[in-house]
Amino acid sequence: MVVGSTQLEVLNEYERQQIGERQPLPERYLGVSDEELEVRISAARAALGDRLVILGHHYQRDEVFKFADYSGDSFKLAKVAAERSDTEFIIFCGVHFMAESADVLSAPYQRVILPDLAAGCSMADMAAADELEVCWRELEELGVTDVVPVTYMNSAADIKAFCGREGGVVCTSSNAVATLRWGWERGEKILFLPDQHLGRNTAYSMGVPLDKMVVWDPQQPMGGLRPDEVAAAKLILWKGHCSVHTKFSVAQIEQLRLAEPEVRVIVHPECTWEVVQAADASGSTETIIQRIRESAVGSVWAVGTEIHLVNRLAKEMAPGRTVLTLDGLGCLCSTMFRVSPNHLCWVLESLIEGEVHNQVVVPDDQKHWTRVALDRMLSIQ
Ligand code: 13P
Ligand code: SF4
């Protein structure tokens, strides 16, 4: 459906939701105290019972996260969305690309709600489907055709659909090694998008040297690369990054090691290659939690990932271990932060009234190939 601004005015409520128009928080939900929100969310949750399931990503704020029936990284939450076909609604407390994947993986009768549709991801926005089409065509012009496209979970549904259609796959930071192996079993080269850092860090950990990787800049003709550079590469990395994880630096690690010689540093693989090399370990959010929980009591960890997870690890998830944030202050993902308890309260209370707000719907023409790419992802562990 193509919708111009004048047409928008005549759309009915259902059609507005189909195109994902954001419905703002009503004023009556502003200024409600934390205590009242907690009581009202709990009451609405109880009233809705098994009609819904609430999924919460590790980067969500505590006031929202505590209501999650399932918490996890993006891989784990995608699996839950595929498995919990027994509910009418999936309330996804996370960001837009995660809710889109849940919509594709869930049953056709289920509806996925993202409490605030403005909860996007700046990294996902760094790859647009039209730029990917141009890249693919230009690679073909260079005679580079034996390429498997692999997109990180942090990408829009149309990018995932492209990868599904072209024999590729979706990966997350939990299964990136296995996914790259899968890709190189099927093609000579991999085009990895949108996060150059996850791609580089993963391939390097598998023994691929840096000089076999190139960065494709979608803002430049032919990605800004010479034909011989593309020909020599095993991995073509899209020029995208996470604005949160790239804030961590080697200098921070060095300073911390001076102040705390016992400290062990663990970072998310969306950090730069230099930071991952300077750290003791790297891994997805689930891996970070597991490594710290399994470490000896008394261990001291500095963690390079989003501040809400780091704080939760420090406060309650890893008793007996000291957990610090790598930069001393904490990096916040502002789009994850958009999902507030006020939004959660509103969408739940509205459901009791029979109103569905901020539903995420992947258009039918993208669903099939997105599902193919996501199903391949779930089969690769
Ligand atoms: P995980 O796949 O580790 O949950 O990470 C998602 C994400 O957005 C990290 O920035
Ligand atoms: Fe996107 Fe980075 Fe936020 Fe993750 S932390 S949702 S990659 S902006």
Side-chain angles (χ1 to χ4, degrees), residues 22-56:
R22 175 176 178 239
Q23 292 162 294
L25 187 70
E27 249 174 46
R28 65 182 186 283
Y29 281 89
L30 298 176
V32 184
S33 71
D34 290 351
E35 296 73 30
E36 183 180 338
L37 284 171
E38 170 143 16
V39 171
R40 282 171 60 178
I41 294 171
S42 302
R45 178 74 195 82
L48 290 159
D50 54 16
R51 291 180 64 198
L52 58 80
V53 62
I54 302 180
L55 311 187

Side-chain angles (χ1 to χ4, degrees), residues 82 105 169-170 368 370-380:
L105 290 167
V169 64
V170 177
H368 171 73
T370 303
R371 171 123 209 173
V372 169
L374 284 166
D375 281 343
R376 285 181 189 141
M377 171 191 89
L378 292 176
S379 70
I380 302 171

Side-chain angles (χ1 to χ4, degrees), residues 310-365:
V310 182
N311 284 343
R312 213 170 287 125
L313 274 162
K315 272 194 279 179
E316 65 206 53
M317 289 179 104
R321 286 85 178 161
T322 301
V323 177
L324 315 165
T325 176
L326 179 52
D327 64 341
L329 293 166
C331 289
L332 177 122
C333 175
S334 56
T335 47
M336 283 275 179
F337 195 74
R338 290 214 66 92
V339 179
S340 67
N342 311 58
H343 283 90
L344 181 59
C345 187
W346 168 53
V347 296
L348 293 181
E349 289 184 345
S350 301
L351 285 182
I352 297 173
E353 303 299 318
E355 290 167 23
V356 178
H357 298 302
N358 289 343
Q359 185 182 353
V360 172
V361 183
V362 174
D364 284 342
D365 62 338

Side-chain angles (χ1 to χ4, degrees), residues 237-249:
L237 299 162
W238 193 263
K239 193 175 178 193
H241 67 270
C242 166
S243 46
V244 177
H245 287 93
T246 49
K247 290 211 176 80
F248 296 109
S249 68

Side-chain angles (χ1 to χ4, degrees), residues 59 95 97-98 120-124 152 154 241-245 270 306 333-336:
Y59 297 166
V95 286
F97 68 80
M98 298 179 183
C121 165
S122 54
M123 176 202 286
Y152 189 21
N154 302 29
H241 67 270
C242 166
S243 46
V244 177
H245 287 93
E270 288 173 14
E306 210 272 348
C333 175
S334 56
T335 47
M336 283 275 179

